[in-house]
Amino acid sequence: MGELVERVGDDDEVIGVVERGEAIRRGWLHRVATIVCRDPAGRYLVHHRPDDMARFPGRLTWLLGGATEVGESYEEAAARELWEELGVRGRPRFVLKFRCAGAISPYWLGLHEVVVTGPPRPDPAEIASYRWVGEAELAGLAGDPAFVPDAREAFVRYRASRAEGRCPRARGEHGGIGGVAGPEGRPVT
């Protein structure tokens, strides 16, 4: 049996439990938690996905993340994915949620932020290479055809939420975004 996810409806209410592959094939909504990683200077982590990934191989993105597990909140899934993919522990702060059209299938996307204060230890099965970039460079990368389309949509919505004041700017201090993650998998408080 494949990865189990909660099938959700138009209002993100749980309808049942299904295999993720079936949800994708049938276009059923399910939940995906993503994380935007910032450094204390406010730069964003961008990375290339490995060439052997099933979804978007070799493509560039600014999001970490994956499907929420059955019974898991967006925030719990974001913290788990941060640890699994980047090797740091932290408490990502919820920023926004939207129904993503999805390049492969539709889903509800929960976007979170975290400040990473220590060196990441990326899982090579998830992240082929990474670097930190400023917002202007990220905006340019988001327009590149090699950028994951769903990550592009998330970037547009994220920027709009910041412009509307719903999402704080990083201030280069621990209070800027919240959910600070330190080296060695230890949260920084």
Side-chain angles (χ1 to χ4, degrees):
M1 181 173 270
E3 176 184 17
L4 295 179
V5 297
E6 291 173 332
R7 180 181 174 195
V8 295
D10 291 334
D11 293 323
D12 195 19
E13 75 282 2
V14 177
I15 296 172
V17 175
V18 298
E19 286 186 75
R20 186 174 187 197
E22 181 179 14
I24 290 170
R25 280 190 306 279
R26 295 180 180 247
W28 290 340
L29 294 171
H30 55 290
R31 295 174 174 156
V32 172
T34 64
I35 310 100
V36 172
C37 296
R38 309 278 303 266
D39 70 5
R43 296 178 302 169
Y44 297 87
L45 184 133
V46 295
H47 69 276
H48 279 97
R49 296 171 57 83
D51 290 333
D52 60 353
M53 295 289 287
R55 295 179 185 95
F56 308 110
R59 303 285 290 272
L60 184 65
T61 185
W62 72 310
L63 298 175
L64 303 176
T68 63
E69 295 178 351
V70 175
E72 189 176 45
S73 71
Y74 285 102
E75 290 82 1
E76 291 166 338
R80 175 180 51 76
E81 293 286 347
L82 178 66
W83 171 247
E84 290 174 0
E85 294 186 21
L86 205 57
V88 294
R89 294 206 188 269
R91 293 185 202 105
R93 184 186 63 78
F94 182 82
V95 175
L96 61 95
K97 178 177 75 167
F98 66 94
R99 185 175 167 169
C100 184
I104 296 173
S105 78
Y107 57 91
W108 280 97
L109 186 147
L111 191 140
H112 304 75
E113 279 190 319
V114 69
V115 173
V116 177
T117 59
R121 293 184 319 275
D123 177 351
E126 300 281 348
I127 298 173
S129 64
Y130 73 93
R131 64 189 166 117
W132 297 96
V133 301
E135 186 170 351
E137 184 175 356
L138 177 58
L141 293 170
D144 188 303
F147 206 76
V148 173
D150 299 6
R152 183 178 302 113
E153 182 179 358
F155 180 68
V156 168
R157 290 177 181 264
Y158 173 84
R159 285 185 94 182
S161 74
R162 288 182 58 193
E164 295 169 5
R166 291 185 290 148
C167 177
R169 291 188 174 277
R171 293 190 297 257
E173 57 193 58
H174 296 302
I177 295 175
V180 178
E184 307 301 324
R186 292 189 307 269
V188 175
T189 56

